[in-house]
Amino acid sequence: MTETHYSESGFWDKLKHFALAAGSNVVEKALWLYYAAQRPETPAWAKAVIFGALGYFIFPLDVIPDAVPVLGYTDDMATLAAAVATVSLYITDEVKQLAQQKMQSWFGSKLK
């Protein structure tokens, strides 16, 4: 997938509707990438990687459909993890804190 499949509204809609099913690992990585992309210090190449991964995350046709029990989000997690590894320099403590705050405000202790 390319970054052309990414939209901010699509990202938030996907998280809102599927976060509990996806689990905290997937949500956390997606939020890390989202907040890293919002930083002016993050270079264009890194934002392209991020938006490509987030585009795949929200695209309705995955290699493994999200509705498949247990395995549904493994391809999303692999894509997000690869993007995190690629742009890890731009995932700062501040980015991680913003993601943690968002997860806590949305889900409290519901996400596992």
Side-chain angles (χ1 to χ4, degrees):
M1 292 308 113
T2 67
E3 64 186 282
T4 58
H5 292 100
Y6 174 79
S7 75
E8 191 155 343
S9 63
F11 172 74
W12 290 114
D13 285 347
K14 175 90 175 211
L15 282 183
K16 185 169 110 179
H17 292 103
F18 297 102
L20 290 175
S24 62
N25 249 354
V26 171
V27 172
E28 179 183 57
K29 301 311 180 268
L31 288 171
W32 283 1
L33 292 169
Y34 173 80
Y35 287 120
Q38 304 311 305
R39 297 179 70 235
E41 302 86 0
T42 302
W45 72 264
K47 289 180 181 187
V49 169
I50 290 168
F51 291 133
L54 293 178
Y56 182 84
F57 174 66
I58 66 174
F59 194 64
L61 302 174
D62 288 356
V63 172
I64 303 172
D66 294 341
V68 175
V70 182
L71 298 176
Y73 288 94
T74 56
D75 60 323
D76 295 289
M77 185 59 197
T79 300
L80 296 173
V84 165
T86 302
V87 301
S88 62
L89 183 61
Y90 305 102
I91 300 174
T92 64
D93 289 339
E94 178 185 357
V95 164
K96 290 179 181 180
Q97 182 64 33
L98 288 168
Q100 185 59 39
Q101 288 171 355
K102 180 58 80 177
M103 288 175 66
Q104 193 65 32
S105 74
W106 275 3
F107 308 108
S109 61
K110 293 180 191 173
L111 262 171
K112 297 291 180 213

